[in-house]
């Protein structure tokens, strides 16, 4: 899984995932995965811009290609327990565009 | 697609993708994708460590989860034309472990 930690200039109207807490979300994911002994099988990795700046913090889980937006540190436990362990995406955090469901916007 | 640009200390025996040219590979991918008008549909993104340091530069293409190792700038055109356009992975650059084929090593 990839967590955007891209940084944009402070005056960019879209904002950026770094300013919205990308690094903290990644660190919390790593911590929760470690607690559950999942660090070897699931990697919480950094990524550059995932092109969803206005919806940040953006997280994408592969290979199932589930995209989350507006993720905070407080959401991490739910993503790990419900999705990564339980196999059920956290519906309330899903971005409108989900490639695995087809492009729903256009 | 994600290109590892992680940097490790120069004395690390595994080496790292940054020292092996990760940034240059990513830049060349971006360039080739742009030339073919594919920048909107395929993103050559940075990633942190993909845990294949000894096989760097490491590139992973999602959603098909095809993993490449030892990628150089000279390989980029072939990856773009054969795999991303033509749909055929570049066999000579595949890493031994390919999740989409099952774990072949263990």
């Amino acid at each position: 899984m990839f967590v955007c930690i891209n940084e944009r200039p402070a005056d960019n109207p879209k904002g950026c995932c770094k300013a919205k807490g990308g690094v903290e979300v990644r660190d919390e994911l790593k911590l929760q995965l470690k607690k559950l002994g999942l660090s070897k099988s699931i990697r919480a990795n950094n990524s550059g811009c995932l092109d969803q700046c206005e919806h940040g913090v953006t997280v994408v889980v592969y290979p199932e290609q589930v995209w989350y937006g507006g993720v905070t540190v407080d959401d991490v436990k739910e993503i790990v327990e419900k999705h990564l362990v339980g196999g059920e995406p956290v519906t309330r955090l899903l971005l409108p565009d989900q490639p695995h469901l087809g492009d729903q916007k256009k």
Side-chain angles (χ1 to χ4, degrees), chain A:
Chain A
M1 60 195 308
F2 293 91
V3 182
C4 177
I5 58 162
N6 191 53
E7 186 166 22
R8 285 179 184 275
D11 59 355
N12 188 298
K14 287 182 177 180
C16 67
C17 289
K18 187 151 188 187
K20 292 173 186 174
V23 172
E24 293 77 8
V25 166
R26 180 209 59 197
D27 287 347
E28 182 68 14
L29 275 165
K30 280 188 185 293
L31 186 72
Q32 294 296 330
L33 289 170
K34 199 168 180 183
K35 269 191 189 170
L36 295 173
L38 294 171
S39 303
K40 293 268 170 192
S41 53
I42 305 173
R43 192 170 186 95
N45 207 343
N46 308 329
S47 83
C49 181
L50 291 166
D51 201 19
Q52 295 288 333
C53 318
E54 63 274 40
H55 303 300
V57 174
T58 311
V59 175
V60 55
V61 186
Y62 286 110
E64 58 261 56
Q65 48 177 345
V66 167
W67 288 74
Y68 291 115
V71 178
T72 68
V73 167
D74 292 341
D75 299 317
V76 165
K77 215 171 169 186
E78 187 177 355
I79 292 175
V80 171
E81 289 177 359
K82 192 170 175 196
H83 179 166
L84 304 180
V85 176
E88 289 278 326
V90 179
T91 317
R92 68 181 176 83
L93 296 172
L94 291 177
L95 285 175
D97 278 342
Q98 294 288 333
H100 72 291
L101 301 174
D103 195 340
Q104 298 175 319
K105 261 191 187 163
K106 284 157 209 160

